[in-house]
Amino acid sequence: RTMTSADKDSPLIFVVEDEADSARLIVGTLAEYGFRCETFGTGRALLARAKRMQPELAILDLGLPDMDGLQVLRELQEQHPCAALILTGRDGLTDRVLGLELGADDYLVKPFEPRELVARVRSILRRYQKAATPEPGGHSAVRFAGWHFDIGRLNLVADDGREVSLSAAEAALLQTLLKRPNKILTREQLIGERELDPFDRSIDVRISRLRRKLEDDPQDPKIIKTVYGAGYLLCAAVVWE
């Protein structure tokens, strides 16, 4: 494990990458823009460190010597949830979709442009910061469709007392839908921070994850509806608290 020096208040990023040249490029790029980084050569080393220190973001290679990067992502999100960016040479659609399903916020394929990496990292961290910030006017919670959403804790509580935790990316998406209930929002409006690639399925995957947590039957959604050819619609009365 190696660590870069930076302002102690700057975001801490864990990087798991077993190729030394790639690790140096990633860490050097991020350090240049003021990020603190710790690097690991194996998935187990990153997971062990995450038990003691939680990063703001983890950057994960998929081809690791001890375990598949998708398994690292799965365990990280189950045990120590944080933002996650997959940075890998594997560019297949299956890996991309599975990574997003398991909780990754973005997926970048090697070789990469260093400035694009920084832009993606900043975009993810902005979404997380936004998700953790109470609504203007002092609103820190909202009720809708039999759910109570505590924005600061990223926590959903159903009327029957059942609790569900959201990732920050899911929370940010839900907030966007809740701000404009009963209005169709395009995928471009929902992704917000960057231009949407026509083949980018990240919003569709996050909508699917939200439905599994919110809906009685995710295959026949009543709260978040698909408007084919247009976008998504949150069908509910929304009360901010």
Side-chain angles (χ1 to χ4, degrees):
R1 176 170 65 94
T2 59
M3 184 170 182
T4 61
S5 60
D7 189 307
K8 63 181 177 60
D9 294 323
S10 64
L12 175 62
I13 298 176
F14 283 2
V15 178
V16 60
E17 170 62 70
D18 64 314
E19 295 180 5
D21 289 343
S22 292
R24 277 194 293 270
L25 177 59
I26 295 166
V27 171
T29 298
L30 294 173
E32 185 179 341
Y33 286 87
F35 295 105
R36 291 182 297 149
C37 296
E38 291 192 33
T39 57
F40 307 87
T42 66
R44 290 291 173 210
L46 180 145
L47 291 169
R49 177 61 172 156
K51 292 179 181 178
R52 303 189 299 277
M53 173 74 73
Q54 186 165 6
E56 275 80 9
L57 171 69
I59 296 178
L60 308 171
D61 186 19
L62 295 186
L64 298 171
D66 61 331
M67 60 192 297
D68 189 84
L70 291 173
Q71 182 62 28
V72 178
L73 175 63
R74 187 196 308 271
E75 293 189 26
L76 191 64
Q77 297 294 42
E78 288 175 354
Q79 299 167 18
H80 318 286
C82 66
L85 167 65
I86 292 174
L87 179 57
T88 181
R90 284 160 44 177
D91 62 353
L93 182 61
T94 300
D95 282 329
R96 188 182 297 263
V97 172
L98 186 54
L100 294 167
E101 285 276 10
L102 291 173
D105 296 274
D106 209 342
Y107 194 108
L108 187 58
V109 177
K110 301 174 186 174
F112 62 93
E113 166 60 48
R115 287 174 298 177
E116 183 180 6
L117 172 63
V118 172
R120 299 279 187 110
V121 166
R122 284 176 167 169
S123 176
I124 292 169
L125 293 175
R126 275 197 299 269
R127 288 204 300 267
Y128 272 58
Q129 187 176 30
K130 181 179 176 184
T133 302
E135 284 297 296
H139 296 303
S140 60
V142 58
R143 292 189 180 275
F144 69 100
W147 289 98
H148 181 265
F149 175 33
D150 185 322
I151 295 167
R153 294 177 58 223
L154 308 186
N155 190 52
L156 283 165
V157 180
D159 285 348
D160 62 8
R162 177 168 50 97
E163 291 195 32
V164 175
S165 293
L166 298 179
S167 73
E170 292 165 349
L173 176 58
L174 179 57
Q175 277 184 261
T176 301
L177 289 163
L178 289 168
K179 287 173 185 173
R180 298 182 66 185
N182 304 302
K183 291 184 172 61
I184 297 170
L185 297 180
T186 66
R187 292 163 75 243
E188 288 78 6
Q189 287 173 304
L190 291 170
I191 204 163
E193 304 237 0
R194 60 185 172 86
E195 186 175 343
L196 188 65
D197 184 293
F199 299 103
D200 190 329
R201 288 197 54 199
S202 60
I203 284 297
D204 306 312
V205 171
R206 286 184 196 128
I207 289 286
S208 176
R209 281 160 48 190
L210 269 179
R211 282 174 171 159
R212 288 202 295 270
K213 294 181 177 182
L214 290 172
E215 307 273 4
D216 292 330
D217 180 3
Q219 301 304 314
D220 183 24
K222 306 299 184 188
I223 301 172
I224 303 175
K225 294 192 175 182
T226 301
V227 182
Y228 291 99
Y232 295 100
L233 176 74
L234 185 125
C235 297
V238 172
V239 179
W240 294 94
E241 298 179 343

Short mmCIF file of all heavy atoms in Angstrom, two decimals, residues 1-4 12-16 27 36-40 46 49 52-53:
data_model
loop_
_atom_site.label_atom_id
_atom_site.label_comp_id
_atom_site.label_asym_id
_atom_site.label_seq_id
_atom_site.Cartn_x
_atom_site.Cartn_y
_atom_site.Cartn_z
N ARG A 1 0.85 -1.19 0.00
CA ARG A 1 0.00 0.00 0.00
C ARG A 1 0.88 1.24 0.00
O ARG A 1 1.84 1.32 0.74
CB ARG A 1 -0.90 0.00 1.25
CG ARG A 1 -1.75 1.25 1.41
CD ARG A 1 -2.77 1.04 2.54
NE ARG A 1 -2.12 0.90 3.84
CZ ARG A 1 -1.91 1.90 4.68
NH1 ARG A 1 -2.25 3.14 4.33
NH2 ARG A 1 -1.37 1.71 5.87
N THR A 2 0.53 2.19 -0.85
CA THR A 2 1.22 3.48 -0.86
C THR A 2 0.20 4.59 -0.72
O THR A 2 -0.96 4.43 -1.07
CB THR A 2 2.01 3.68 -2.16
OG1 THR A 2 1.11 3.61 -3.27
CG2 THR A 2 3.08 2.62 -2.32
N MET A 3 0.65 5.74 -0.22
CA MET A 3 -0.26 6.86 0.03
C MET A 3 0.38 8.14 -0.46
O MET A 3 1.58 8.35 -0.30
CB MET A 3 -0.57 6.96 1.52
CG MET A 3 -1.59 8.03 1.87
SD MET A 3 -2.14 7.90 3.58
CE MET A 3 -3.34 9.23 3.65
N THR A 4 -0.43 9.00 -1.09
CA THR A 4 0.06 10.30 -1.52
C THR A 4 -0.27 11.33 -0.45
O THR A 4 -1.23 11.18 0.31
CB THR A 4 -0.60 10.75 -2.83
OG1 THR A 4 -2.02 10.85 -2.64
CG2 THR A 4 -0.33 9.76 -3.94
N LEU A 12 -10.45 11.49 0.09
CA LEU A 12 -9.58 10.32 0.10
C LEU A 12 -10.08 9.30 -0.92
O LEU A 12 -11.25 8.91 -0.89
CB LEU A 12 -9.55 9.69 1.50
CG LEU A 12 -8.77 8.38 1.63
CD1 LEU A 12 -7.30 8.57 1.30
CD2 LEU A 12 -8.93 7.80 3.04
N ILE A 13 -9.19 8.88 -1.79
CA ILE A 13 -9.53 7.93 -2.85
C ILE A 13 -8.67 6.68 -2.70
O ILE A 13 -7.45 6.77 -2.58
CB ILE A 13 -9.32 8.55 -4.25
CG1 ILE A 13 -10.24 9.78 -4.42
CG2 ILE A 13 -9.57 7.53 -5.34
CD1 ILE A 13 -10.03 10.52 -5.72
N PHE A 14 -9.32 5.51 -2.68
CA PHE A 14 -8.61 4.24 -2.70
C PHE A 14 -8.51 3.78 -4.16
O PHE A 14 -9.50 3.82 -4.89
CB PHE A 14 -9.36 3.17 -1.91
CG PHE A 14 -9.21 3.28 -0.41
CD1 PHE A 14 -8.49 4.31 0.18
CD2 PHE A 14 -9.79 2.33 0.42
CE1 PHE A 14 -8.35 4.42 1.55
CE2 PHE A 14 -9.66 2.42 1.81
CZ PHE A 14 -8.94 3.45 2.36
N VAL A 15 -7.31 3.35 -4.55
CA VAL A 15 -7.09 2.86 -5.91
C VAL A 15 -6.56 1.45 -5.81
O VAL A 15 -5.51 1.21 -5.20
CB VAL A 15 -6.07 3.75 -6.67
CG1 VAL A 15 -5.82 3.19 -8.07
CG2 VAL A 15 -6.56 5.20 -6.75
N VAL A 16 -7.27 0.48 -6.40
CA VAL A 16 -6.75 -0.88 -6.45
C VAL A 16 -6.37 -1.18 -7.89
O VAL A 16 -7.20 -1.17 -8.79
CB VAL A 16 -7.74 -1.93 -5.87
CG1 VAL A 16 -9.06 -1.94 -6.62
CG2 VAL A 16 -7.11 -3.32 -5.86
N VAL A 27 -2.63 7.63 -9.81
CA VAL A 27 -2.35 8.37 -8.57
C VAL A 27 -1.69 9.71 -8.86
O VAL A 27 -2.02 10.73 -8.25
CB VAL A 27 -1.47 7.51 -7.63
CG1 VAL A 27 -0.99 8.34 -6.45
CG2 VAL A 27 -2.27 6.30 -7.14
N ARG A 36 -6.19 13.04 -2.18
CA ARG A 36 -5.38 12.09 -1.43
C ARG A 36 -5.66 10.69 -1.95
O ARG A 36 -6.81 10.34 -2.17
CB ARG A 36 -5.73 12.14 0.06
CG ARG A 36 -5.31 13.40 0.79
CD ARG A 36 -5.67 13.29 2.26
NE ARG A 36 -7.11 13.18 2.46
CZ ARG A 36 -7.69 12.52 3.46
NH1 ARG A 36 -6.96 11.86 4.35
NH2 ARG A 36 -9.00 12.50 3.58
N CYS A 37 -4.62 9.91 -2.14
CA CYS A 37 -4.81 8.55 -2.67
C CYS A 37 -4.06 7.52 -1.84
O CYS A 37 -2.95 7.78 -1.37
CB CYS A 37 -4.30 8.46 -4.11
SG CYS A 37 -5.17 9.48 -5.30
N GLU A 38 -4.69 6.37 -1.66
CA GLU A 38 -4.00 5.18 -1.17
C GLU A 38 -4.13 4.12 -2.25
O GLU A 38 -5.23 3.90 -2.78
CB GLU A 38 -4.59 4.69 0.15
CG GLU A 38 -4.34 5.62 1.33
CD GLU A 38 -4.68 4.98 2.66
OE1 GLU A 38 -4.50 3.75 2.79
OE2 GLU A 38 -5.12 5.70 3.56
N THR A 39 -3.03 3.46 -2.58
CA THR A 39 -3.06 2.46 -3.64
C THR A 39 -2.83 1.06 -3.07
O THR A 39 -2.09 0.89 -2.11
CB THR A 39 -1.98 2.75 -4.71
OG1 THR A 39 -0.70 2.79 -4.09
CG2 THR A 39 -2.26 4.07 -5.39
N PHE A 40 -3.44 0.08 -3.72
CA PHE A 40 -3.38 -1.31 -3.27
C PHE A 40 -3.18 -2.20 -4.49
O PHE A 40 -3.76 -1.95 -5.55
CB PHE A 40 -4.68 -1.70 -2.55
CG PHE A 40 -5.06 -0.76 -1.44
CD1 PHE A 40 -5.82 0.37 -1.71
CD2 PHE A 40 -4.64 -0.99 -0.15
CE1 PHE A 40 -6.17 1.25 -0.70
CE2 PHE A 40 -4.98 -0.10 0.88
CZ PHE A 40 -5.75 1.01 0.60
N LEU A 46 -7.31 -3.77 -0.17
CA LEU A 46 -8.22 -2.62 -0.12
C LEU A 46 -9.35 -2.87 0.87
O LEU A 46 -9.69 -1.99 1.67
CB LEU A 46 -8.79 -2.34 -1.51
CG LEU A 46 -9.76 -1.16 -1.61
CD1 LEU A 46 -9.60 -0.44 -2.94
CD2 LEU A 46 -11.22 -1.61 -1.46
N ARG A 49 -8.21 -2.50 4.45
CA ARG A 49 -8.01 -1.10 4.82
C ARG A 49 -9.35 -0.39 5.01
O ARG A 49 -9.49 0.47 5.89
CB ARG A 49 -7.19 -0.40 3.73
CG ARG A 49 -6.96 1.09 3.93
CD ARG A 49 -6.20 1.39 5.20
NE ARG A 49 -5.84 2.80 5.28
CZ ARG A 49 -5.58 3.44 6.41
NH1 ARG A 49 -5.63 2.78 7.57
NH2 ARG A 49 -5.26 4.71 6.41
N ARG A 52 -10.92 -0.02 8.42
CA ARG A 52 -10.37 0.96 9.36
C ARG A 52 -10.54 2.40 8.88
O ARG A 52 -10.59 3.31 9.69
CB ARG A 52 -8.88 0.68 9.60
CG ARG A 52 -8.59 -0.71 10.11
CD ARG A 52 -7.14 -0.88 10.54
NE ARG A 52 -6.22 -0.68 9.44
CZ ARG A 52 -5.89 -1.60 8.55
NH1 ARG A 52 -6.43 -2.82 8.62
NH2 ARG A 52 -5.01 -1.34 7.60
N MET A 53 -10.61 2.61 7.57
CA MET A 53 -10.69 3.96 7.01
C MET A 53 -11.57 3.92 5.77
O MET A 53 -11.27 3.18 4.83
CB MET A 53 -9.29 4.47 6.65
CG MET A 53 -9.28 5.80 5.92
SD MET A 53 -9.63 7.20 6.99
CE MET A 53 -8.09 7.28 7.91
#
